[in-house]
Amino acid sequence: MNFLKNTIWFLWKIWFYLIILVVIVVLSPFLIISLSTDKFYRFFFFLARIWAYAVFYGTGFRKSIVTKQHFNPNKSYMLTANHTSMMDIMLMLILVKNPFVFVGKKELAKLPIFGYFYKRACILVDRTSSVSRQKTMIAAAQKLASGLSVCIFPEGGVPHDESIVLDDFKDGAFRLAIDFGIPVVPMTFIGLKKMFPFRFFAGYPGNVFIYQHPFVETKGLTQRDKPELKDQVRELILQPLLKHEKNNHS
């Protein structure tokens, strides 16, 4: 029985990586052109959303979303969510039409083919280096100044302990949001920790529940307000997770 389950998991995960690579290869001429200059970034973002749809739905997932507030296509936002899975990236691209840039860990740039485009389209950070973190904030500020939005998973990574519902938040996303006076968009992704964990022999396709919370405004705030802002956003993201955990154990 274990052999059969491991075989199914293996084939499913291989299918996931195959979709990623095939779509990238098919779109690669357009991706290379779109990344040749910052002026074409919006075209690249359009292509990235096509890729995300193919990977998310092609792997067998679907979504149900509760939306408390809609995006203004002419505004920039600081996008935040809990981080539990590689599929978080695809889900964020599907949910948000406003062009944005991910702040992501530099290790993913080492992946074949995917890494080539990843390091050219995202802001990379070495979370073990204070110098790298500082450079990342400068690069993110430049993207915001150009009119783009930025997505930062404020936990700073995926908690190693799967029993942890939500890890502590880092300051970067909230410092930038205050500096630019842009709204913070809290999102809660429910289900992906079990449905598509980072462990290879685990997971299953299914329905992902998303809560897109009311935007948290930052106009008029100063850096002294950052702890309260961070706590407010964390509480919004956390509550649906706690409710889900409680329902599962009741």
Side-chain angles (χ1 to χ4, degrees):
M1 188 63 178
N2 285 337
F3 174 77
L4 178 60
K5 288 175 66 175
N6 286 339
T7 301
I8 293 173
W9 275 325
F10 177 80
L11 293 175
W12 186 51
K13 291 295 177 71
I14 291 298
W15 174 247
F16 163 74
Y17 287 110
L18 187 61
I19 296 175
I20 287 178
L21 293 179
V22 167
V23 177
I24 287 177
V25 169
V26 170
L27 295 178
S28 59
F30 305 103
L31 290 170
I32 291 171
I33 294 171
S34 66
L35 288 173
S36 62
T37 172
D38 289 343
K39 295 179 181 179
F40 294 162
Y41 183 80
R42 292 177 184 272
F43 178 52
F44 167 80
F45 185 77
F46 169 75
L47 297 173
R49 296 192 75 226
I50 293 175
W51 170 79
Y53 271 93
V55 175
F56 184 81
Y57 290 105
T59 311
F61 290 101
R62 57 195 187 279
K63 60 179 175 63
S64 297
I65 180 168
V66 175
T67 302
K68 295 295 185 179
Q69 190 170 348
H70 295 283
F71 291 97
N72 180 334
N74 300 314
K75 289 188 68 173
S76 295
Y77 297 90
M78 179 59 66
L79 309 169
T80 61
N82 55 315
H83 194 20
T84 59
S85 168
M86 285 181 66
M87 203 62 75
D88 295 339
I89 296 172
M90 294 72 175
L91 194 52
M92 189 67 79
L93 284 166
I94 291 171
L95 294 171
V96 182
K97 295 180 181 180
N98 293 42
F100 66 86
V101 177
F102 281 107
V103 173
K105 57 184 181 180
K106 70 171 188 176
E107 290 81 4
L108 291 178
K110 298 177 182 178
L111 295 175
I113 304 179
F114 171 80
Y116 172 85
F117 297 103
Y118 175 80
K119 65 186 177 183
R120 285 163 175 77
C122 300
I123 301 170
L124 306 187
V125 57
D126 179 357
R127 302 189 191 279
T128 64
S129 168
S130 59
V131 174
S132 175
R133 291 196 300 270
Q134 185 177 6
K135 288 181 178 179
T136 296
M137 289 301 102
I138 294 172
Q142 291 172 342
K143 297 298 183 182
L144 288 170
S146 72
L148 296 174
S149 296
V150 170
C151 175
I152 298 178
F153 295 104
E155 290 172 278
V158 178
H160 294 295
D161 184 354
E162 291 194 3
S163 66
I164 296 176
V165 176
L166 196 63
D167 213 338
D168 292 334
F169 279 9
K170 305 295 188 290
D171 289 344
F174 309 99
R175 183 166 66 247
L176 282 169
I178 291 172
D179 282 345
F180 282 84
I182 60 173
V184 179
V185 183
M187 298 187 194
T188 305
F189 298 161
I190 297 177
L192 281 176
K193 178 178 280 191
K194 291 183 178 179
M195 286 191 282
F196 206 82
F198 280 85
R199 290 181 291 116
F200 196 84
F201 293 102
Y204 54 91
N207 192 34
V208 181
F209 293 93
I210 304 117
Y211 287 83
Q212 184 180 299
H213 301 279
F215 305 162
V216 180
E217 295 293 338
T218 62
K219 286 185 178 179
L221 299 184
T222 69
Q223 293 302 328
R224 291 183 179 180
D225 301 307
K226 183 176 59 184
E228 289 78 11
L229 173 64
K230 183 168 65 172
D231 289 344
Q232 182 182 358
V233 172
R234 188 177 188 278
E235 186 66 18
L236 284 170
I237 295 174
L238 179 61
Q239 286 307 311
L241 293 171
L242 293 177
K243 184 178 180 180
H244 178 74
E245 289 287 312
K246 182 179 179 180
N247 290 340
N248 280 351
H249 291 91
S250 60

